[in-house]
DNA sequence: ATTTTGACGCT
DNA sequence: AGCGTCAAA
């Protein structure tokens, strides 16, 4: 029976999953070599019951220490255990050192094939190509195998055969040859990790991610396991279902409870139709396939995380009960997040676009599980702005509550984009041309070296994976290697130095995708952008000559703000229309939306945005928030005073060194301001306005003409020391105002409201956001009709249910309509709802129905109730993935 | 009172 | 956009 059907050899992949052994413990042992070989665990926070264990070393595991223990429990099992506390910063656990160590490992493991960072300490590798090449060179003599490869475990072969060597060298089946070759590569990579980073790791080698992941966990620590195709049926027959990736949670439990399955083999015997009936077409098919060892989930080419997040819990009494406390902790989180974002921007040229604030809270002291809510807005870099925006988001959630008890908060920055060349960031849009003298660095800038290790012609943000960057990384790695070897040669302290200088060097030299650079325009800008800024500064992104309308000109010139623009439309600036517009009746917004990313099919420049970025800003401040001033851009460079820099008469023009493309020309020809499309604005036009500081990126993008107008005298200056790097940091998308008129309502508030009969269920009025407004010195008044949020529907559903179930116990009226917010009416008998009807209902209703059924069962047959509860729990899971097919 | 992450799917 | 699920140290 052909269980495994691979149409031909070409489709067979060689995939490895590599997982560090008790990673945090190893990191700590490398930091403090005295811990090596001793029972060690890493804990988070000490005071309460000795802290929570998050990693346990193998010596400690041997003594019965388990990860779910508290520090105190661990001490009981193993009195001489070394408990290392995770570093803290900003009053919270800070995992930076582990992230950096993880990046170190990734930089090594990504050498031989496509590499996907699966977590802080795991990667998947697609070694298909490398293994194919390697197949021709697999030794025929088992003694010539890499020692680490010899120690491989081969499922279905070892330990019956004493070691894997003979298996590895004598394969005849293509699939096995491929795995054998991959195993040699993996052995070498693991050895490289051991030598260069001094970490041990375990690996699985198979034809897909699922099997590789399974295998990497089978022989730990410091071993590797191969899964030949033929081994799968035997393996799965005994394998608990939960061991398969994605089946460790509710889905796996539901399979066990509903179908009585215990092993993966059991799952294999369930007909596809049954699986699809139960879990939908996609999940059903996915289950069918993984139960046969089939998995086409590709190894993605991604070595960097897609988001940065930080969070903190405030359990029990520590719950935050007032806004100042909330604000304080928002700021602490922002401090960490900002640092991590800046580092990412420096090292990887990436910028986040979205800020998400999550908060879990109670409205009264209770043991019930808290409500979790998240809100998001476009992100603005800088601690203060992240703080202000995130606090605004959180406040929006809490402002309706008479009382709140915040049990956890988190910030995360997502939508990280490696700003591509043609929409490059304003933060990187100019770069000092090495060796070229410039006004800005005149005056003996002491630290102003902008030199990078790149060749002159290369950009900081070359297309991903191009030779320039790769080459650099490779060179760095080589240096790092040399450095380590030097240390080893030193003799005595092979590890002695590592927690100090050696590690620091490796950090910069071996880190993944890191580029050595001490200073950069980016860094300067980020630093400057975090500080206070003068009002009404504008960067104009003008193309060739052109004239804007009067108002637009003013805005460009920096005296007008968006509020002026709004006034000109006959609206008072203080009116709440401001930035939250979502209505199609708003001309400014329309053009704002139209502004978009594309003009003439190309990325548009956005020289000025007056779009509010966070929930707190008001109109007058918005421009200020998003402008890049002359001082900000120039002022911090090398400590040189901006005015003298700008006043340097030497450089009346500069030659661009960057690329010029049709795209960029198109982009340069238009700029949007305050939601109004501005015509290309020539330098001279702006110069005449004589108002404000500005940078005018004149001419075509890529040419690098930089004109600087001095605020004080309106004199036009130019600086030639820079290179045009592209367009803009913030794409239209990032600036789009989202949900600005979102009702600041908690679920509770909605629920309370829902108790009052409403005539208009399709819309509601937002309320004035007052809480904290005076402290902020701002007011944001919003009153807007909008579509109901999901929360509203849920609240409605709950209300209906309350009514419904209030009748239920008396059991007279057992069929009742449940009207849900959307207006759909469901009819059912709550005692006999069939599964398909139940599935149609909103989850909140499903949960209530199940609760009611249990309640009744409890009364009638207390024993059976428990069983029902378990089954219902399994049923209540939501489908959560949709497998992509390759 | 595990905590702090991070990816991804659903609606 | 916001929530839920799953997973790792």
């Amino acid at each position: 029976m052909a269980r495994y059907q691979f149409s031909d050899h070409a489709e067979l992949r060689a995939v490895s999953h590599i997982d560090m052994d008790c990673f945090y413990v190893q990191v700590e042992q490398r930091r403090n070599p005295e811990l090596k070989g001793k029972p060690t665990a890493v804990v988070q926070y000490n005071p309460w019951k000795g802290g929570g264990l998050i990693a346990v070393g193998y010596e400690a595991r041997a003594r019965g220490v388990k990860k779910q223990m508290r520090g105190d429990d661990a001490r009981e099992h193993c009195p001489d255990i070394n408990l290392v506390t995770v570093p803290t910063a900003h009053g919270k656990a800070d995992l930076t050192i582990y992230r950096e160590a993880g990046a170190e490992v990734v930089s090594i493991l990504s050498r031989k094939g496509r590499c996907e960072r699966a977590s802080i300490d795991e990667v998947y590798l697609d070694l298909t190509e490398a293994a194919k090449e390697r197949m021709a060179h697999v030794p025929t003599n088992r003694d010539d195998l890499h020692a680490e490869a010899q120690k491989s475990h081969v499922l279905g072969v070892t330990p019956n055969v004493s070691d894997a060597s003979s298996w590895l060298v004598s394969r005849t089946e293509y699939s096995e040859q491929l795995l054998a070759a991959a195993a040699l590569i993996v052995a070498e990579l693991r050895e490289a990790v051991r030598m260069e980073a001094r970490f041990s790791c375990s690996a699985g080698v198979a034809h897909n991610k699922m099997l590789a992941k399974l295998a990497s966990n089978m022989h730990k620590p410091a071993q590797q396991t191969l899964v030949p195709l033929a081994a799968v049926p035997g393996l799965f027959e005994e394998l608990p279902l939960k061991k398969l990736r994605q089946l460790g949670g509710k889905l796996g439990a539901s399979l066990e409870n509903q179908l009585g399955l215990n092993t993966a083999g059991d799952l294999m015997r369930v007909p596809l139709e049954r699986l699809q009936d139960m879990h939908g077409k996609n999940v059903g098919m996915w289950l069918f396939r993984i139960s046969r060892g089939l998995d086409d989930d590709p190894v993605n080419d991604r070595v960097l995380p897609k988001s940065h997040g930080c969070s903190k819990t405030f359990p029990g009494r520590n719950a935050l009960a007032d806004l100042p406390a909330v604000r304080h902790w928002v700021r602490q989180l922002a401090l960490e997040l900002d640092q991590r974002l800046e580092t990412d921007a420096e090292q990887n040229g990436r910028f986040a676009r979205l800020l998400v604030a999550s908060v879990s809270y109670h409205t009264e002291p209770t043991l019930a599980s808290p409500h979790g809510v998240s809100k998001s807005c476009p992100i603005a870099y800088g601690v203060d702005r992240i703080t202000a925006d995130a606090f605004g988001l959180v406040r929006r959630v809490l402002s309706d509550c008479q009382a709140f008890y915040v049990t956890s908060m988190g910030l995360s920055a997502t939508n990280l984009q490696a700003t591509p060349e043609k929409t490059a960031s304003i933060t990187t849009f100019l770069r000092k041309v090495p060796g070229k003298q410039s006004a800005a660095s005149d005056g003996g800038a002491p630290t102003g070296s902008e030199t990078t290790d790149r060749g002159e012609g290369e950009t900081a943000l070359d297309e991903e994976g191009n030779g320039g960057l790769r080459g650099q990384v490779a060179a760095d790695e080589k240096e790092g290697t040399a450095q380590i070897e030097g240390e080893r040669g030193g003799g005595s302290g092979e590890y002695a130095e590592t927690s100090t200088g050696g590690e620091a060097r490796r950090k910069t030299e071996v880190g993944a995708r890191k580029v050595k650079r001490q200073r950069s325009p980016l860094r300067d800008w980020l630093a400057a952008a975090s500080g206070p800024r003068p009002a009404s500064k504008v960067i104009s992104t003008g193309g060739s000559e052109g004239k804007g309308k009067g108002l637009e000109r003013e805005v460009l010139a920096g005296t007008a703000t968006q509020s002026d623009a709004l006034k000109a439309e006959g609206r008072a600036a203080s009116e709440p229309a401001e930035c939250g517009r979502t209505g199609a009746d708003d001309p400014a917004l329309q053009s704002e939306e139209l502004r978009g990313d594309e003009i003439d099919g190309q990325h548009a420049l956005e020289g000025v945005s007056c779009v509010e970025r966070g929930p707190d800003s008001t109109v007058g401040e918005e421009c200020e928030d998003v402008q890049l001033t002359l001082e900000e851009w120039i002022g911090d460079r090398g400590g040189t005073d901006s005015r003298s820099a700008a006043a340097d008469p030497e450089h009346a023009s500069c030659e661009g060194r960057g690329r010029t493309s049709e795209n960029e020309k198109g982009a340069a020809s238009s700029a949007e301001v305050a939601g109004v499309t501005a015509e290309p604005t020539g330098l001279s036009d702006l110069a005449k306005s004589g108002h404000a500081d500005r940078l005018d990126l004149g001419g075509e993008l890529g040419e690098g003409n930089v004109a600087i107008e001095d605020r004080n005298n309106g004199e036009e200056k130019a600086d030639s020391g820079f290179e045009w790097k592209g367009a803009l940091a913030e794409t239209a998308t990032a600036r789009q105002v989202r949900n600005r008129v979102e009702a600041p309502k908690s679920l509770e508030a909605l629920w309370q409201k829902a108790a009052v009969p409403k005539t208009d269920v399709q819309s509601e009025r937002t309320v004035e956001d007052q809480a904290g407004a005076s402290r902020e010195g701002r007011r944001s008044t919003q009153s807007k009709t909008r579509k109901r949020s999901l929360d509203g529907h849920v609240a409605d559903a709950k209300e209906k249910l309350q009514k419904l179930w209030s009748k239920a116990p008396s059991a007279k009226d057992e069929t009742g309509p449940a009207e849900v917010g959307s207006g759909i009416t469901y009819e059912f008998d709550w005692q006999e709802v069939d599964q398909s009807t139940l599935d149609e209902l909103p989850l909140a209703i499903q949960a209530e129905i199940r609760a009611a059924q249990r309640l009744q069962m409890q009364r009638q047959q207390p024993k059976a109730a428990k069983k029902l509860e378990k089954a219902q729990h399994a049923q209540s899971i939501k489908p959560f993935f949709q497998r992509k097919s390759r």
Side-chain angles (χ1 to χ4, degrees), chain A residues 172-219:
Chain A
T172 55
E173 192 67 30
Y174 173 87
S175 67
E176 295 184 347
Q177 289 176 335
L178 191 69
L179 286 192
L184 304 193
I185 297 166
V186 169
E188 290 161 7
L189 286 171
R190 289 180 46 239
E191 184 65 7
V193 170
R194 190 175 76 83
M195 296 298 289
E196 298 175 31
R198 283 162 300 127
F199 292 132
S200 83
C201 58
S202 301
V205 182
H207 294 300
N208 59 51
K209 286 167 83 169
M210 198 249 324
L211 292 174
K213 165 84 180 170
L214 194 59
S216 69
N217 200 37
M218 298 185 81
H219 299 97

Side-chain angles (χ1 to χ4, degrees), chain A residues 314 316 319-321 360-366 370 398 403-408:
Chain A
F314 308 97
L320 310 180
S360 291
Y361 65 101
H362 302 284
T363 49
E364 54 186 74
T366 171
L398 300 176
F404 54 77
Y405 303 88
V406 171
T407 56
S408 84

